[in-house]
Amino acid sequence: MKYKWEYGDNGSQTYYKTEIGKDYLCIYANKESSNPKMYMAMYIKNKRSVNIWDKKFNDKMRKQGYIEKDELLPTTRKLLSSEDIEYMKKKLIYCYENDKLEITP
């Protein structure tokens, strides 16, 4: 499947987005953060919004007992992030196509 990415800036974020039918994929960076070039990823599929999490970090937190195995929104979880836009697009596409919430960096 081909993804056509569109760049945008809404004043508080810069982002790259694409739409597949009714689904939506987006990588975004918050301008007000300590690193405004650090991108995170999310998608909406079947009306469900999903943030992409850092599996390696979260597995470490699970092992140490900070995250319960089935807990969906623990406070110690870490979003996947990178300054590399193409890397983030690749990770987001993989998660979207495979219905994943987490991915190893």
Side-chain angles (χ1 to χ4, degrees), residues 58-71:
N58 295 336
D59 281 349
K60 181 179 174 183
M61 293 296 106
R62 283 184 196 96
K63 187 176 181 179
Q64 293 176 2
Y66 294 111
I67 300 176
E68 295 295 322
K69 186 168 183 131
D70 296 326
E71 190 174 354

Side-chain angles (χ1 to χ4, degrees), residues 86-97:
E86 295 306 315
Y87 166 83
M88 289 301 292
K89 287 178 185 177
K90 179 180 171 185
K91 293 293 186 173
L92 175 57
I93 290 168
Y94 177 83
C95 288
Y96 168 74
E97 290 178 349

Side-chain angles (χ1 to χ4, degrees), residues 11-50:
S12 61
Q13 296 175 326
T14 56
Y15 58 87
Y16 292 86
K17 69 176 186 173
T18 189
E19 295 180 26
I20 312 300
K22 293 183 179 182
D23 297 342
Y24 175 82
L25 288 75
C26 181
I27 61 169
Y28 59 94
N30 295 316
K31 289 181 172 184
E32 299 294 323
S33 72
S34 59
N35 185 349
K37 294 181 181 178
M38 187 64 67
Y39 281 83
M40 292 152 290
M42 60 83 61
Y43 66 87
I44 298 173
K45 187 174 188 178
N46 299 323
K47 299 181 182 180
R48 181 175 152 233
S49 181
V50 176

Side-chain angles (χ1 to χ4, degrees), residues 1-18:
M1 181 181 307
K2 278 199 153 191
Y3 294 86
K4 184 177 177 184
W5 296 92
E6 176 185 325
Y7 174 80
D9 185 330
N10 64 15
S12 61
Q13 296 175 326
T14 56
Y15 58 87
Y16 292 86
K17 69 176 186 173
T18 189

